[in-house]
Coordinates of all heavy atoms in Angstrom, one line a residue:
N1 N -13.1 0.4 9.4 CA -12.8 0.0 8.1 C -12.2 -1.4 8.0 O -11.7 -1.9 9.0 CB -11.7 1.0 7.5 CG -12.2 2.3 7.3 OD1 -13.4 2.5 7.1 ND2 -11.4 3.3 7.3
S2 N -12.4 -2.0 6.9 CA -11.9 -3.3 6.7 C -11.0 -3.4 5.5 O -10.9 -2.4 4.7 CB -13.0 -4.3 6.6 OG -13.7 -4.1 5.4
V3 N -10.3 -4.5 5.4 CA -9.4 -4.7 4.2 C -10.2 -5.0 3.0 O -11.0 -6.0 3.0 CB -8.3 -5.7 4.5 CG1 -7.5 -6.0 3.3 CG2 -7.5 -5.3 5.7
D4 N -10.0 -4.3 1.9 CA -10.8 -4.6 0.7 C -10.1 -5.8 -0.1 O -10.8 -6.6 -0.7 CB -10.8 -3.4 -0.2 CG -11.7 -2.3 0.4 OD1 -12.6 -2.5 1.1 OD2 -11.3 -1.1 0.1
K5 N -8.8 -5.8 -0.1 CA -8.1 -6.8 -0.9 C -6.7 -7.0 -0.4 O -6.1 -6.1 0.1 CB -8.1 -6.3 -2.4 CG -7.6 -7.4 -3.3 CD -7.7 -6.9 -4.8 CE -9.1 -6.8 -5.1 NZ -9.4 -6.5 -6.5
F6 N -6.3 -8.2 -0.4 CA -4.9 -8.6 0.0 C -4.1 -8.8 -1.3 O -4.6 -9.5 -2.2 CB -4.9 -9.9 0.8 CG -5.6 -9.7 2.2 CD1 -6.9 -9.9 2.3 CD2 -4.8 -9.4 3.3 CE1 -7.5 -9.8 3.5 CE2 -5.4 -9.3 4.5 CZ -6.7 -9.4 4.7
Y7 N -2.9 -8.3 -1.3 CA -2.0 -8.6 -2.4 C -0.8 -9.3 -1.9 O -0.1 -8.8 -1.0 CB -1.5 -7.2 -3.0 CG -2.6 -6.5 -3.7 CD1 -3.5 -5.6 -3.0 CD2 -2.8 -6.5 -5.1 CE1 -4.5 -4.9 -3.6 CE2 -3.8 -5.8 -5.7 CZ -4.6 -5.0 -4.9 OH -5.6 -4.3 -5.6
L8 N -0.6 -10.5 -2.3 CA 0.5 -11.4 -1.8 C 1.5 -11.5 -2.9 O 1.3 -11.6 -4.1 CB -0.1 -12.8 -1.5 CG -1.3 -12.8 -0.6 CD1 -1.9 -14.2 -0.5 CD2 -1.1 -12.2 0.8
Y9 N 2.8 -11.6 -2.4 CA 3.9 -11.8 -3.4 C 5.0 -12.6 -2.7 O 5.1 -12.7 -1.5 CB 4.4 -10.4 -3.9 CG 5.3 -9.7 -2.9 CD1 6.7 -9.8 -2.9 CD2 4.7 -8.8 -1.9 CE1 7.4 -9.1 -2.0 CE2 5.5 -8.2 -1.0 CZ 6.9 -8.3 -1.1 OH 7.6 -7.6 -0.2
G10 N 5.9 -13.0 -3.5 CA 7.1 -13.7 -3.0 C 6.9 -15.2 -2.9 O 5.8 -15.8 -3.2
E11 N 7.9 -15.9 -2.4 CA 7.9 -17.3 -2.4 C 6.9 -17.9 -1.4 O 6.5 -19.0 -1.5 CB 9.3 -17.9 -2.0 CG 9.8 -17.6 -0.7 CD 11.2 -18.1 -0.4 OE1 11.8 -18.7 -1.3 OE2 11.7 -17.9 0.7
N12 N 6.4 -17.1 -0.4 CA 5.5 -17.5 0.6 C 4.0 -17.2 0.2 O 3.1 -17.4 1.0 CB 5.8 -16.9 2.0 CG 7.1 -17.5 2.5 OD1 7.3 -18.7 2.5 ND2 7.9 -16.6 3.1
R13 N 3.8 -16.6 -0.9 CA 2.4 -16.2 -1.3 C 1.4 -17.3 -1.3 O 0.3 -17.1 -0.8 CB 2.4 -15.5 -2.6 CG 2.7 -16.3 -3.8 CD 2.9 -15.4 -5.1 NE 3.2 -16.2 -6.2 CZ 4.4 -16.6 -6.6 NH1 5.4 -16.2 -5.8 NH2 4.6 -17.3 -7.7
T14 N 1.7 -18.5 -1.7 CA 0.8 -19.6 -1.7 C 0.5 -20.0 -0.3 O -0.7 -20.2 0.1 CB 1.3 -20.8 -2.5 OG1 1.6 -20.3 -3.8 CG2 0.3 -21.9 -2.6
L15 N 1.5 -20.1 0.5 CA 1.3 -20.4 1.9 C 0.4 -19.4 2.6 O -0.5 -19.8 3.4 CB 2.6 -20.6 2.7 CG 2.6 -20.8 4.1 CD1 2.1 -22.2 4.4 CD2 4.0 -20.7 4.7
L16 N 0.6 -18.1 2.4 CA -0.1 -17.1 3.0 C -1.6 -17.0 2.5 O -2.5 -16.5 3.1 CB 0.5 -15.7 2.8 CG 1.9 -15.6 3.5 CD1 2.6 -14.3 3.0 CD2 1.7 -15.6 5.0
S17 N -1.8 -17.5 1.3 CA -3.2 -17.5 0.7 C -4.1 -18.5 1.4 O -5.3 -18.3 1.3 CB -3.1 -17.7 -0.8 OG -2.8 -19.1 -1.1
K18 N -3.6 -19.5 2.0 CA -4.5 -20.6 2.6 C -5.5 -20.1 3.6 O -6.7 -20.4 3.4 CB -3.6 -21.7 3.2 CG -2.7 -22.4 2.2 CD -3.5 -23.1 1.1 CE -2.5 -23.8 0.2 NZ -3.1 -24.1 -1.0
P19 N -5.1 -19.3 4.6 CA -6.1 -18.7 5.5 C -7.1 -17.8 4.8 O -8.3 -17.7 5.2 CB -5.3 -18.0 6.5 CG -3.9 -18.3 6.3 CD -3.8 -18.9 5.0
L20 N -6.7 -17.1 3.8 CA -7.6 -16.2 3.0 C -8.6 -17.0 2.3 O -9.8 -16.5 2.1 CB -6.8 -15.3 2.1 CG -5.8 -14.3 2.8 CD1 -5.0 -13.6 1.8 CD2 -6.6 -13.4 3.8
E21 N -8.3 -18.1 1.7 CA -9.2 -19.0 1.0 C -10.4 -19.4 1.9 O -11.5 -19.3 1.5 CB -8.5 -20.2 0.4 CG -7.5 -19.9 -0.7 CD -6.7 -21.1 -1.1 OE1 -6.9 -22.2 -0.6 OE2 -5.8 -20.9 -2.0
S22 N -10.0 -19.8 3.1 CA -11.1 -20.3 4.0 C -11.9 -19.2 4.5 O -13.1 -19.4 5.0 CB -10.5 -21.2 5.1 OG -9.6 -20.4 5.9
S23 N -11.4 -18.0 4.5 CA -12.2 -16.8 5.1 C -12.9 -16.1 4.0 O -13.6 -15.1 4.2 CB -11.3 -15.9 5.8 OG -10.4 -15.2 4.9
L24 N -12.8 -16.5 2.7 CA -13.4 -15.9 1.6 C -13.0 -14.4 1.4 O -13.7 -13.6 0.8 CB -14.9 -16.0 1.7 CG -15.5 -17.4 1.8 CD1 -17.0 -17.3 2.0 CD2 -15.2 -18.2 0.6
K25 N -11.8 -14.1 1.8 CA -11.2 -12.7 1.6 C -10.7 -12.6 0.2 O -10.3 -13.6 -0.4 CB -10.1 -12.4 2.6 CG -10.5 -12.4 4.0 CD -11.3 -11.2 4.3 CE -11.6 -11.1 5.8 NZ -12.3 -9.9 6.1
D26 N -10.9 -11.5 -0.4 CA -10.4 -11.2 -1.8 C -8.9 -11.0 -1.8 O -8.4 -10.2 -1.0 CB -11.1 -10.0 -2.3 CG -10.9 -9.8 -3.8 OD1 -10.5 -10.7 -4.5 OD2 -11.3 -8.7 -4.3
Y27 N -8.2 -11.7 -2.6 CA -6.7 -11.6 -2.7 C -6.2 -11.9 -4.1 O -6.9 -12.6 -4.9 CB -6.0 -12.5 -1.7 CG -6.1 -14.0 -2.0 CD1 -5.1 -14.6 -2.7 CD2 -7.2 -14.7 -1.5 CE1 -5.2 -16.0 -3.0 CE2 -7.3 -16.1 -1.8 CZ -6.3 -16.7 -2.6 OH -6.4 -18.0 -2.9
L28 N -5.0 -11.4 -4.4 CA -4.3 -11.6 -5.6 C -2.9 -12.0 -5.3 O -2.4 -11.5 -4.3 CB -4.4 -10.3 -6.5 CG -5.7 -9.9 -7.0 CD1 -5.7 -8.5 -7.6 CD2 -6.3 -10.8 -8.0
Q29 N -2.3 -12.8 -6.2 CA -0.9 -13.2 -6.0 C 0.0 -12.8 -7.1 O -0.4 -12.8 -8.3 CB -0.9 -14.7 -5.9 CG -1.6 -15.3 -4.7 CD -1.4 -16.8 -4.6 OE1 -0.3 -17.3 -4.6 NE2 -2.5 -17.5 -4.4
Y30 N 1.2 -12.3 -6.7 CA 2.1 -11.8 -7.7 C 3.5 -12.4 -7.3 O 3.7 -12.7 -6.2 CB 2.2 -10.3 -7.8 CG 0.9 -9.7 -8.3 CD1 -0.1 -9.2 -7.4 CD2 0.7 -9.6 -9.7 CE1 -1.3 -8.7 -7.9 CE2 -0.5 -9.1 -10.1 CZ -1.5 -8.6 -9.3 OH -2.6 -8.1 -9.7
E31 N 4.4 -12.3 -8.3 CA 5.8 -12.8 -8.0 C 6.6 -11.7 -7.2 O 7.4 -12.1 -6.3 CB 6.5 -13.0 -9.3 CG 6.0 -14.2 -10.1 CD 6.7 -15.4 -10.0 OE1 7.9 -15.4 -9.7 OE2 6.2 -16.5 -10.3
T32 N 6.4 -10.4 -7.5 CA 7.3 -9.4 -7.0 C 6.4 -8.3 -6.4 O 5.3 -8.1 -6.8 CB 8.2 -8.8 -8.0 OG1 7.5 -8.1 -9.0 CG2 9.1 -9.9 -8.7
L33 N 7.1 -7.5 -5.5 CA 6.4 -6.3 -5.0 C 6.1 -5.3 -6.1 O 5.1 -4.6 -6.0 CB 7.4 -5.7 -3.9 CG 6.9 -4.4 -3.2 CD1 5.5 -4.6 -2.5 CD2 7.9 -3.9 -2.2
E34 N 7.0 -5.2 -7.0 CA 6.7 -4.2 -8.1 C 5.5 -4.6 -8.9 O 4.7 -3.7 -9.2 CB 7.9 -4.1 -9.1 CG 7.7 -3.1 -10.2 CD 8.9 -2.7 -10.9 OE1 10.0 -3.3 -10.7 OE2 8.9 -1.7 -11.7
E35 N 5.2 -5.9 -9.1 CA 4.0 -6.3 -9.8 C 2.8 -5.9 -8.9 O 1.7 -5.5 -9.5 CB 4.0 -7.8 -10.0 CG 5.0 -8.2 -11.1 CD 5.1 -9.7 -11.2 OE1 4.6 -10.5 -10.4 OE2 5.8 -10.2 -12.2
V36 N 2.9 -6.1 -7.6 CA 1.8 -5.7 -6.7 C 1.5 -4.2 -6.9 O 0.3 -3.8 -7.2 CB 2.1 -6.0 -5.3 CG1 1.1 -5.4 -4.3 CG2 2.2 -7.5 -5.0
I37 N 2.5 -3.4 -6.7 CA 2.3 -1.9 -6.8 C 1.7 -1.5 -8.1 O 0.8 -0.6 -8.2 CB 3.6 -1.1 -6.5 CG1 4.1 -1.5 -5.1 CG2 3.4 0.4 -6.6 CD1 3.2 -1.2 -3.9
K38 N 2.2 -2.0 -9.2 CA 1.7 -1.7 -10.5 C 0.2 -2.1 -10.7 O -0.5 -1.5 -11.5 CB 2.5 -2.4 -11.6 CG 3.9 -1.7 -11.8 CD 4.8 -2.5 -12.7 CE 4.3 -3.2 -13.9 NZ 5.3 -3.8 -14.8
N39 N -0.2 -3.2 -10.1 CA -1.5 -3.7 -10.3 C -2.6 -3.4 -9.2 O -3.7 -3.8 -9.3 CB -1.4 -5.2 -10.4 CG -0.8 -5.6 -11.7 OD1 -1.4 -5.5 -12.8 ND2 0.4 -6.1 -11.7
I40 N -2.2 -2.6 -8.3 CA -3.2 -2.1 -7.3 C -4.3 -1.3 -8.1 O -3.9 -0.4 -8.8 CB -2.6 -1.3 -6.1 CG1 -1.8 -2.3 -5.3 CG2 -3.7 -0.6 -5.3 CD1 -1.0 -1.6 -4.2
E41 N -5.5 -1.6 -7.8 CA -6.6 -0.9 -8.6 C -6.6 0.5 -8.2 O -6.6 0.9 -7.0 CB -7.9 -1.6 -8.3 CG -8.0 -3.0 -8.8 CD -9.3 -3.7 -8.3 OE1 -10.2 -3.0 -8.0 OE2 -9.2 -4.9 -8.3
R42 N -6.7 1.4 -9.2 CA -6.8 2.8 -9.0 C -8.3 3.2 -9.1 O -9.0 2.8 -10.0 CB -6.0 3.6 -10.0 CG -4.5 3.4 -9.8 CD -3.7 4.1 -10.8 NE -2.3 3.8 -10.7 CZ -1.4 4.7 -10.4 NH1 -1.7 5.9 -10.2 NH2 -0.2 4.3 -10.3
T43 N -8.7 4.0 -8.1 CA -10.1 4.6 -8.1 C -10.0 6.1 -7.9 O -8.9 6.6 -7.5 CB -11.0 3.9 -7.1 OG1 -10.5 4.2 -5.8 CG2 -11.0 2.4 -7.3
N44 N -11.1 6.7 -7.9 CA -11.1 8.2 -7.6 C -11.2 8.4 -6.1 O -11.0 9.5 -5.6 CB -12.3 8.8 -8.3 CG -12.2 8.9 -9.8 OD1 -11.1 8.9 -10.3 ND2 -13.3 9.0 -10.5
D45 N -11.5 7.3 -5.4 CA -11.5 7.4 -3.9 C -10.1 7.5 -3.4 O -9.1 7.1 -4.0 CB -12.2 6.1 -3.3 CG -13.6 6.0 -3.8 OD1 -14.2 7.0 -4.1 OD2 -14.1 4.9 -3.8
K46 N -10.0 7.9 -2.1 CA -8.7 7.9 -1.4 C -8.3 6.4 -1.3 O -9.1 5.6 -1.0 CB -8.8 8.6 -0.1 CG -8.9 10.0 -0.1 CD -8.8 10.6 1.2 CE -8.8 12.1 1.2 NZ -8.7 12.7 2.5
K47 N -7.0 6.2 -1.5 CA -6.5 4.8 -1.4 C -5.5 4.8 -0.2 O -4.6 5.6 -0.1 CB -5.8 4.4 -2.7 CG -5.3 3.0 -2.7 CD -6.3 2.0 -2.8 CE -7.1 2.0 -4.1 NZ -8.1 1.0 -4.3
I48 N -5.7 3.8 0.7 CA -4.8 3.6 1.8 C -4.1 2.2 1.5 O -4.8 1.2 1.3 CB -5.5 3.5 3.1 CG1 -6.1 4.9 3.4 CG2 -4.5 3.1 4.2 CD1 -6.9 4.9 4.7
I49 N -2.8 2.2 1.4 CA -2.1 1.0 1.1 C -1.3 0.7 2.4 O -0.4 1.5 2.8 CB -1.1 1.2 0.0 CG1 -1.9 1.5 -1.3 CG2 -0.3 -0.1 -0.2 CD1 -1.0 1.9 -2.5
L50 N -1.7 -0.4 3.1 CA -1.0 -0.8 4.3 C 0.0 -1.9 3.9 O -0.4 -3.0 3.5 CB -2.0 -1.3 5.3 CG -1.3 -1.9 6.6 CD1 -0.5 -0.9 7.3 CD2 -2.4 -2.5 7.5
Y51 N 1.3 -1.6 3.9 CA 2.3 -2.6 3.6 C 2.7 -3.3 4.9 O 3.4 -2.7 5.7 CB 3.5 -1.9 2.9 CG 4.5 -2.8 2.4 CD1 4.2 -4.0 1.7 CD2 5.9 -2.6 2.7 CE1 5.2 -4.8 1.3 CE2 6.9 -3.4 2.3 CZ 6.5 -4.6 1.6 OH 7.5 -5.4 1.1
S52 N 2.3 -4.5 5.0 CA 2.5 -5.3 6.2 C 3.1 -6.6 5.9 O 2.3 -7.6 5.7 CB 1.2 -5.4 7.0 OG 1.4 -6.1 8.2
P53 N 4.4 -6.7 5.7 CA 4.9 -8.0 5.4 C 4.6 -9.1 6.4 O 4.7 -8.8 7.6 CB 6.4 -7.8 5.3 CG 6.6 -6.3 5.1 CD 5.4 -5.7 5.8
A54 N 4.2 -10.2 6.0 CA 3.8 -11.3 6.9 C 4.9 -12.4 7.0 O 4.7 -13.4 7.7 CB 2.5 -11.9 6.4
A55 N 5.9 -12.2 6.3 CA 7.0 -13.2 6.3 C 8.3 -12.5 5.9 O 8.3 -11.4 5.3 CB 6.7 -14.4 5.4
Q56 N 9.4 -13.2 6.1 CA 10.7 -12.7 5.7 C 10.7 -12.7 4.1 O 10.1 -13.5 3.5 CB 11.8 -13.5 6.2 CG 11.9 -13.5 7.7 CD 12.9 -14.5 8.2 OE1 13.2 -15.5 7.6 NE2 13.4 -14.3 9.5
S57 N 11.5 -11.8 3.6 CA 11.5 -11.6 2.1 C 12.9 -11.9 1.6 O 13.4 -11.3 0.7 CB 11.1 -10.2 1.7 OG 9.8 -9.9 2.1
Y58 N 13.6 -12.9 2.2 CA 15.0 -13.2 1.8 C 15.1 -13.7 0.4 O 16.2 -13.7 -0.2 CB 15.6 -14.1 2.8 CG 15.8 -13.5 4.1 CD1 15.4 -14.2 5.3 CD2 16.3 -12.2 4.3 CE1 15.6 -13.7 6.5 CE2 16.5 -11.7 5.6 CZ 16.1 -12.4 6.7 OH 16.3 -11.9 7.9
D59 N 14.0 -14.1 -0.2 CA 14.0 -14.5 -1.6 C 14.2 -13.3 -2.5 O 14.6 -13.5 -3.7 CB 12.8 -15.3 -2.0 CG 11.5 -14.5 -1.9 OD1 11.3 -13.9 -0.8 OD2 10.6 -14.6 -2.8
Q60 N 13.9 -12.1 -2.0 CA 14.0 -10.9 -2.9 C 14.8 -9.8 -2.3 O 15.2 -8.9 -3.0 CB 12.6 -10.4 -3.2 CG 11.8 -11.5 -4.0 CD 10.4 -11.0 -4.4 OE1 10.2 -9.8 -4.6 NE2 9.5 -12.0 -4.5
Y61 N 14.9 -9.7 -0.9 CA 15.6 -8.6 -0.3 C 16.6 -9.1 0.8 O 16.4 -10.2 1.4 CB 14.6 -7.7 0.4 CG 13.6 -7.1 -0.6 CD1 12.3 -7.7 -0.7 CD2 13.9 -6.1 -1.4 CE1 11.4 -7.2 -1.6 CE2 13.0 -5.6 -2.3 CZ 11.8 -6.1 -2.4 OH 10.9 -5.6 -3.3
N62 N 17.6 -8.3 1.0 CA 18.6 -8.7 2.0 C 18.1 -8.5 3.5 O 18.5 -9.2 4.4 CB 19.9 -8.0 1.8 CG 20.6 -8.4 0.5 OD1 20.7 -9.6 0.2 ND2 21.2 -7.4 -0.2
N63 N 17.3 -7.5 3.6 CA 16.8 -7.1 5.0 C 15.5 -6.3 4.9 O 15.1 -5.9 3.8 CB 17.9 -6.5 5.8 CG 18.4 -5.2 5.1 OD1 17.7 -4.4 4.6 ND2 19.8 -5.1 5.0
F64 N 14.9 -6.0 6.0 CA 13.7 -5.2 6.0 C 13.9 -3.8 5.6 O 13.0 -3.1 5.0 CB 13.0 -5.3 7.4 CG 13.7 -4.5 8.5 CD1 13.3 -3.2 8.7 CD2 14.7 -5.1 9.2 CE1 14.0 -2.5 9.7 CE2 15.3 -4.4 10.2 CZ 15.0 -3.1 10.5
E65 N 15.1 -3.2 5.8 CA 15.4 -1.8 5.4 C 15.3 -1.7 3.8 O 14.7 -0.8 3.3 CB 16.7 -1.3 5.9 CG 16.8 -1.0 7.4 CD 17.4 -2.1 8.1 OE1 17.6 -3.3 7.6 OE2 17.8 -1.9 9.3
E66 N 16.0 -2.7 3.2 CA 16.0 -2.7 1.7 C 14.6 -2.9 1.2 O 14.2 -2.2 0.2 CB 16.9 -3.9 1.2 CG 17.1 -4.0 -0.3 CD 17.9 -5.1 -0.7 OE1 18.9 -5.4 0.0 OE2 17.6 -5.7 -1.7
R67 N 13.9 -3.8 1.8 CA 12.5 -4.0 1.3 C 11.6 -2.7 1.5 O 10.9 -2.4 0.6 CB 11.9 -5.2 2.2 CG 10.4 -5.5 1.8 CD 9.9 -6.7 2.6 NE 10.0 -6.4 4.0 CZ 9.9 -7.4 5.0 NH1 9.8 -8.6 4.6 NH2 10.0 -7.1 6.2
G68 N 11.8 -2.0 2.6 CA 11.0 -0.8 2.9 C 11.4 0.3 1.9 O 10.6 1.0 1.4
E69 N 12.7 0.4 1.6 CA 13.2 1.4 0.7 C 12.6 1.2 -0.7 O 12.3 2.1 -1.4 CB 14.7 1.5 0.7 CG 15.3 2.1 1.9 CD 16.8 2.0 2.0 OE1 17.4 1.5 1.0 OE2 17.3 2.3 3.1
H70 N 12.6 -0.1 -1.1 CA 12.1 -0.5 -2.4 C 10.6 -0.2 -2.5 O 10.1 0.3 -3.5 CB 12.4 -1.9 -2.7 CG 12.1 -2.3 -4.1 ND1 11.4 -3.4 -4.5 CD2 12.5 -1.7 -5.3 CE1 11.4 -3.5 -5.8 NE2 12.0 -2.4 -6.3
F71 N 9.8 -0.5 -1.4 CA 8.4 -0.1 -1.4 C 8.2 1.4 -1.6 O 7.4 1.8 -2.4 CB 7.8 -0.6 -0.1 CG 6.4 -0.1 0.1 CD1 5.4 -0.8 -0.5 CD2 6.1 1.0 0.9 CE1 4.0 -0.4 -0.3 CE2 4.8 1.4 1.1 CZ 3.8 0.7 0.5
N72 N 8.9 2.2 -0.9 CA 8.8 3.6 -1.0 C 9.2 4.1 -2.4 O 8.5 5.0 -3.0 CB 9.7 4.4 0.0 CG 9.1 4.2 1.4 OD1 8.0 4.0 1.6 ND2 10.0 4.3 2.4
F73 N 10.2 3.5 -3.0 CA 10.6 3.9 -4.4 C 9.5 3.5 -5.3 O 9.1 4.3 -6.2 CB 11.9 3.1 -4.7 CG 12.2 3.1 -6.2 CD1 12.8 4.2 -6.7 CD2 11.9 2.1 -7.0 CE1 13.1 4.3 -8.1 CE2 12.2 2.1 -8.4 CZ 12.8 3.2 -8.9
L74 N 8.9 2.3 -5.2 CA 7.8 1.9 -6.1 C 6.6 2.8 -6.0 O 5.9 3.1 -7.0 CB 7.5 0.4 -5.9 CG 8.6 -0.5 -6.3 CD1 8.3 -1.9 -5.8 CD2 8.9 -0.5 -7.8
I75 N 6.2 3.1 -4.8 CA 5.0 4.0 -4.5 C 5.3 5.3 -5.3 O 4.4 5.8 -6.0 CB 4.8 4.2 -3.0 CG1 4.2 2.9 -2.4 CG2 3.8 5.4 -2.8 CD1 2.9 2.5 -2.9
N76 N 6.5 5.9 -5.1 CA 6.8 7.2 -5.8 C 6.8 7.0 -7.3 O 6.3 7.8 -8.0 CB 8.1 7.7 -5.3 CG 8.0 8.3 -3.9 OD1 7.0 9.0 -3.6 ND2 9.0 8.1 -3.1
K77 N 7.3 5.9 -7.8 CA 7.4 5.6 -9.2 C 6.0 5.5 -9.9 O 5.7 6.0 -10.9 CB 8.2 4.4 -9.5 CG 8.4 4.0 -10.9 CD 9.2 2.8 -11.1 CE 9.3 2.4 -12.6 NZ 10.2 1.2 -12.7
Y78 N 5.1 4.7 -9.2 CA 3.8 4.4 -9.9 C 2.6 5.2 -9.4 O 1.6 5.2 -10.1 CB 3.5 2.9 -9.7 CG 4.5 2.0 -10.5 CD1 5.5 1.3 -9.8 CD2 4.4 1.9 -11.8 CE1 6.4 0.5 -10.5 CE2 5.3 1.1 -12.5 CZ 6.3 0.4 -11.9 OH 7.1 -0.4 -12.6
W79 N 2.7 5.8 -8.2 CA 1.6 6.5 -7.7 C 1.7 8.0 -7.6 O 0.8 8.7 -7.4 CB 1.2 5.9 -6.3 CG 0.6 4.6 -6.4 CD1 1.2 3.4 -6.7 CD2 -0.8 4.3 -6.4 NE1 0.2 2.4 -6.8 CE2 -1.0 2.9 -6.6 CE3 -1.9 5.1 -6.1 CZ2 -2.2 2.3 -6.6 CZ3 -3.2 4.5 -6.1 CH2 -3.3 3.1 -6.4
H80 N 2.9 8.5 -7.6 CA 3.2 9.9 -7.4 C 3.7 10.5 -8.7 O 4.6 11.3 -8.7 CB 4.1 10.2 -6.3 CG 3.5 9.8 -5.0 ND1 4.1 10.1 -3.8 CD2 2.4 9.1 -4.6 CE1 3.4 9.6 -2.8 NE2 2.3 9.0 -3.3
N81 N 3.2 10.1 -9.8 CA 3.7 10.6 -11.1 C 2.7 11.5 -11.8 O 1.6 11.6 -11.5 CB 4.1 9.5 -12.1 CG 3.0 8.4 -12.2 OD1 1.8 8.7 -11.9 ND2 3.4 7.3 -12.6

């Protein structure tokens, strides 16, 4: 399997998009993780969301635990309703 789409957020999103531009990968940029989760395309197919932070998120979270807990909260809020 391959990645269908990259969703970038936070202050490093522009920096992280540079390699994707040159590889012609499909990506979208958002300000926050909540915007990403709300805007992931829904289909009737099974959806696998791999949350793999590529940089520190100190612009939005105090540590990786807080970031992970917020991710889980958002998945439950927007996808398990």
Side-chain angles (χ1 to χ4, degrees):
N1 290 334
S2 64
V3 174
D4 293 326
K5 189 173 291 185
F6 293 87
Y7 294 83
L8 309 174
Y9 75 95
E11 68 182 359
N12 291 318
R13 67 185 178 277
T14 303
L15 177 67
L16 295 171
S17 71
K18 298 298 180 199
L20 297 174
E21 290 172 3
S22 62
S23 68
L24 303 176
K25 296 287 184 180
D26 192 13
Y27 69 93
L28 296 167
Q29 296 185 51
Y30 295 97
E31 296 257 340
T32 66
L33 180 58
E34 184 163 11
E35 290 174 351
V36 170
I37 301 301
K38 285 172 37 178
N39 288 290
I40 291 176
E41 296 174 20
R42 293 177 185 244
T43 65
N44 290 334
D45 299 334
K46 286 186 177 181
K47 182 72 67 181
I48 296 172
I49 300 171
L50 173 62
Y51 182 48
S52 181
Q56 297 172 338
S57 300
Y58 294 132
D59 62 314
Q60 298 182 29
Y61 302 101
N62 291 318
N63 54 48
F64 71 92
E65 290 102 344
E66 182 181 323
R67 179 176 61 197
E69 289 172 7
H70 191 226
F71 173 79
N72 290 334
F73 169 79
L74 294 171
I75 290 296
N76 285 322
K77 179 179 178 179
Y78 291 106
W79 284 78
H80 295 187
N81 50 21

